Amino acid sequence: MTDQATPPATSTDLWAAIDDLWTWLDTDQPIGGREGMLLRMLKLSEEVGEVAEAVIGATGQNPRKGVTHTWEDVQGELCDVVITALVALRTLTPDTQEVFHRHLERVTERSLGPAS
């Protein structure tokens, strides 16, 4: 794994990409309303399951299948979880960035103590 403090200058703007993905999904959503929102939340469980499948595949823990994935596959699946979670959050509020940053500050302070 690489330790990169700041993303490259050419990287996609995270929050604009999340808004674009949310718009794309909402435009082509076969089921809308409350049920559509709940299905969007359930998509997160599906993605987490794919992380588990990739870890099992990367470690060869299924003797019938052997090694079927790489750790790069696991990284990609983890990214899918993050993207799916942020799109789900965007489904709940247009203030996705602010909600996320406020919550991250609370978790960071609770875990690491107040910033000096």
Short mmCIF file of all heavy atoms in Angstrom, two decimals, residues 34-62:
data_model
loop_
_atom_site.label_atom_id
_atom_site.label_comp_id
_atom_site.label_asym_id
_atom_site.label_seq_id
_atom_site.Cartn_x
_atom_site.Cartn_y
_atom_site.Cartn_z
N ARG A 34 -39.14 6.00 -1.50
CA ARG A 34 -38.56 5.41 -0.30
C ARG A 34 -37.94 4.04 -0.59
O ARG A 34 -36.85 3.72 -0.11
CB ARG A 34 -39.62 5.30 0.78
CG ARG A 34 -39.11 4.78 2.09
CD ARG A 34 -40.22 4.83 3.14
NE ARG A 34 -39.84 4.20 4.37
CZ ARG A 34 -39.23 4.82 5.38
NH1 ARG A 34 -38.95 6.10 5.28
NH2 ARG A 34 -38.92 4.17 6.47
N GLU A 35 -38.62 3.25 -1.40
CA GLU A 35 -38.11 1.92 -1.74
C GLU A 35 -36.78 2.02 -2.51
O GLU A 35 -35.83 1.29 -2.23
CB GLU A 35 -39.13 1.14 -2.56
CG GLU A 35 -38.73 -0.30 -2.80
CD GLU A 35 -39.80 -1.07 -3.56
OE1 GLU A 35 -40.85 -0.51 -3.92
OE2 GLU A 35 -39.56 -2.26 -3.81
N GLY A 36 -36.70 2.95 -3.44
CA GLY A 36 -35.46 3.17 -4.17
C GLY A 36 -34.33 3.60 -3.26
O GLY A 36 -33.19 3.16 -3.42
N MET A 37 -34.65 4.46 -2.29
CA MET A 37 -33.64 4.91 -1.33
C MET A 37 -33.14 3.72 -0.50
O MET A 37 -31.94 3.56 -0.29
CB MET A 37 -34.20 5.98 -0.41
CG MET A 37 -33.20 6.46 0.62
SD MET A 37 -33.93 7.43 1.94
CE MET A 37 -34.96 6.23 2.76
N LEU A 38 -34.05 2.89 -0.03
CA LEU A 38 -33.65 1.73 0.77
C LEU A 38 -32.81 0.75 -0.05
O LEU A 38 -31.82 0.19 0.46
CB LEU A 38 -34.89 1.04 1.34
CG LEU A 38 -35.69 1.86 2.35
CD1 LEU A 38 -36.97 1.15 2.73
CD2 LEU A 38 -34.86 2.21 3.56
N LEU A 39 -33.16 0.56 -1.30
CA LEU A 39 -32.37 -0.31 -2.17
C LEU A 39 -30.95 0.24 -2.37
O LEU A 39 -29.98 -0.51 -2.44
CB LEU A 39 -33.06 -0.52 -3.51
CG LEU A 39 -34.33 -1.37 -3.45
CD1 LEU A 39 -35.09 -1.30 -4.76
CD2 LEU A 39 -33.98 -2.81 -3.09
N ARG A 40 -30.85 1.57 -2.44
CA ARG A 40 -29.54 2.20 -2.57
C ARG A 40 -28.70 1.91 -1.34
O ARG A 40 -27.50 1.67 -1.42
CB ARG A 40 -29.71 3.69 -2.79
CG ARG A 40 -28.46 4.47 -2.89
CD ARG A 40 -28.01 4.98 -4.24
NE ARG A 40 -28.86 4.98 -5.37
CZ ARG A 40 -29.36 6.07 -5.96
NH1 ARG A 40 -29.13 7.27 -5.47
NH2 ARG A 40 -30.07 5.96 -7.06
N MET A 41 -29.32 1.91 -0.15
CA MET A 41 -28.60 1.59 1.08
C MET A 41 -28.17 0.12 1.09
O MET A 41 -27.07 -0.22 1.52
CB MET A 41 -29.46 1.87 2.32
CG MET A 41 -29.98 3.30 2.45
SD MET A 41 -28.70 4.54 2.44
CE MET A 41 -29.49 5.80 1.47
N LEU A 42 -29.03 -0.76 0.60
CA LEU A 42 -28.71 -2.20 0.56
C LEU A 42 -27.56 -2.49 -0.38
O LEU A 42 -26.83 -3.47 -0.19
CB LEU A 42 -29.94 -3.00 0.15
CG LEU A 42 -31.03 -3.12 1.20
CD1 LEU A 42 -32.22 -3.89 0.64
CD2 LEU A 42 -30.51 -3.79 2.45
N LYS A 43 -27.36 -1.67 -1.39
CA LYS A 43 -26.25 -1.84 -2.32
C LYS A 43 -24.93 -1.85 -1.57
O LYS A 43 -23.97 -2.55 -1.94
CB LYS A 43 -26.27 -0.73 -3.37
CG LYS A 43 -25.16 -0.77 -4.38
CD LYS A 43 -25.29 -1.94 -5.32
CE LYS A 43 -24.21 -1.87 -6.38
NZ LYS A 43 -24.01 -3.13 -7.05
N LEU A 44 -24.85 -1.12 -0.48
CA LEU A 44 -23.64 -1.07 0.34
C LEU A 44 -23.30 -2.46 0.88
O LEU A 44 -22.14 -2.88 0.88
CB LEU A 44 -23.82 -0.06 1.46
CG LEU A 44 -22.61 0.29 2.29
CD1 LEU A 44 -21.44 0.74 1.43
CD2 LEU A 44 -22.98 1.39 3.27
N SER A 45 -24.30 -3.20 1.34
CA SER A 45 -24.07 -4.56 1.83
C SER A 45 -23.52 -5.46 0.73
O SER A 45 -22.65 -6.30 0.97
CB SER A 45 -25.35 -5.16 2.39
OG SER A 45 -25.72 -4.49 3.55
N GLU A 46 -24.04 -5.29 -0.46
CA GLU A 46 -23.55 -6.08 -1.59
C GLU A 46 -22.06 -5.80 -1.82
O GLU A 46 -21.27 -6.72 -2.03
CB GLU A 46 -24.35 -5.75 -2.85
CG GLU A 46 -23.86 -6.48 -4.09
CD GLU A 46 -24.53 -6.02 -5.37
OE1 GLU A 46 -25.32 -5.06 -5.35
OE2 GLU A 46 -24.23 -6.62 -6.41
N GLU A 47 -21.70 -4.53 -1.79
CA GLU A 47 -20.30 -4.16 -2.02
C GLU A 47 -19.38 -4.69 -0.92
O GLU A 47 -18.27 -5.14 -1.19
CB GLU A 47 -20.16 -2.64 -2.16
CG GLU A 47 -20.85 -2.06 -3.38
CD GLU A 47 -20.30 -2.56 -4.71
OE1 GLU A 47 -19.17 -3.06 -4.77
OE2 GLU A 47 -21.03 -2.45 -5.72
N VAL A 48 -19.83 -4.64 0.33
CA VAL A 48 -19.04 -5.18 1.44
C VAL A 48 -18.84 -6.68 1.25
O VAL A 48 -17.76 -7.22 1.50
CB VAL A 48 -19.69 -4.85 2.81
CG1 VAL A 48 -19.03 -5.62 3.94
CG2 VAL A 48 -19.64 -3.35 3.07
N GLY A 49 -19.87 -7.37 0.77
CA GLY A 49 -19.74 -8.79 0.47
C GLY A 49 -18.69 -9.06 -0.59
O GLY A 49 -17.97 -10.06 -0.53
N GLU A 50 -18.57 -8.16 -1.55
CA GLU A 50 -17.55 -8.32 -2.59
C GLU A 50 -16.15 -8.12 -2.02
O GLU A 50 -15.19 -8.76 -2.48
CB GLU A 50 -17.82 -7.37 -3.74
CG GLU A 50 -19.06 -7.79 -4.52
CD GLU A 50 -19.45 -6.83 -5.62
OE1 GLU A 50 -18.66 -5.92 -5.95
OE2 GLU A 50 -20.57 -6.98 -6.16
N VAL A 51 -16.01 -7.27 -0.99
CA VAL A 51 -14.71 -7.15 -0.31
C VAL A 51 -14.37 -8.48 0.35
O VAL A 51 -13.25 -8.99 0.22
CB VAL A 51 -14.73 -6.02 0.76
CG1 VAL A 51 -13.47 -6.07 1.62
CG2 VAL A 51 -14.88 -4.66 0.10
N ALA A 52 -15.34 -9.06 1.05
CA ALA A 52 -15.11 -10.34 1.71
C ALA A 52 -14.72 -11.42 0.70
O ALA A 52 -13.78 -12.19 0.92
CB ALA A 52 -16.35 -10.76 2.49
N GLU A 53 -15.42 -11.46 -0.41
CA GLU A 53 -15.11 -12.43 -1.45
C GLU A 53 -13.69 -12.23 -1.98
O GLU A 53 -12.95 -13.21 -2.19
CB GLU A 53 -16.12 -12.30 -2.59
CG GLU A 53 -15.87 -13.27 -3.73
CD GLU A 53 -16.86 -13.10 -4.87
OE1 GLU A 53 -17.67 -12.14 -4.86
OE2 GLU A 53 -16.82 -13.93 -5.79
N ALA A 54 -13.29 -11.00 -2.18
CA ALA A 54 -11.94 -10.71 -2.69
C ALA A 54 -10.87 -11.10 -1.67
O ALA A 54 -9.82 -11.63 -2.05
CB ALA A 54 -11.83 -9.23 -3.08
N VAL A 55 -11.11 -10.83 -0.39
CA VAL A 55 -10.15 -11.21 0.65
C VAL A 55 -10.01 -12.73 0.71
O VAL A 55 -8.90 -13.27 0.77
CB VAL A 55 -10.54 -10.63 2.03
CG1 VAL A 55 -9.69 -11.24 3.14
CG2 VAL A 55 -10.41 -9.11 2.03
N ILE A 56 -11.13 -13.42 0.68
CA ILE A 56 -11.09 -14.88 0.68
C ILE A 56 -10.34 -15.38 -0.55
O ILE A 56 -9.51 -16.29 -0.47
CB ILE A 56 -12.52 -15.46 0.76
CG1 ILE A 56 -13.09 -15.20 2.17
CG2 ILE A 56 -12.54 -16.95 0.42
CD1 ILE A 56 -14.58 -15.45 2.29
N GLY A 57 -10.59 -14.75 -1.69
CA GLY A 57 -9.90 -15.14 -2.92
C GLY A 57 -8.43 -14.80 -2.92
O GLY A 57 -7.60 -15.55 -3.46
N ALA A 58 -8.06 -13.70 -2.30
CA ALA A 58 -6.65 -13.29 -2.25
C ALA A 58 -5.84 -14.17 -1.30
O ALA A 58 -4.63 -14.35 -1.49
CB ALA A 58 -6.53 -11.83 -1.84
N THR A 59 -6.50 -14.71 -0.30
CA THR A 59 -5.80 -15.56 0.67
C THR A 59 -5.95 -17.04 0.36
O THR A 59 -5.36 -17.88 1.05
CB THR A 59 -6.32 -15.29 2.10
OG1 THR A 59 -7.73 -15.53 2.15
CG2 THR A 59 -6.00 -13.86 2.53
N GLY A 60 -6.76 -17.38 -0.64
CA GLY A 60 -6.94 -18.77 -1.02
C GLY A 60 -7.68 -19.59 0.02
O GLY A 60 -7.48 -20.80 0.14
N GLN A 61 -8.57 -18.95 0.79
CA GLN A 61 -9.24 -19.63 1.89
C GLN A 61 -10.33 -20.60 1.45
O GLN A 61 -10.81 -21.38 2.25
CB GLN A 61 -9.83 -18.59 2.86
CG GLN A 61 -8.77 -17.84 3.61
CD GLN A 61 -7.86 -18.79 4.38
OE1 GLN A 61 -8.29 -19.55 5.23
NE2 GLN A 61 -6.57 -18.76 4.07
N ASN A 62 -10.72 -20.55 0.19
CA ASN A 62 -11.68 -21.53 -0.31
C ASN A 62 -10.88 -22.61 -1.03
O ASN A 62 -10.39 -22.40 -2.14
CB ASN A 62 -12.68 -20.87 -1.26
CG ASN A 62 -13.74 -21.84 -1.75
OD1 ASN A 62 -13.54 -23.05 -1.78
ND2 ASN A 62 -14.87 -21.29 -2.15
#
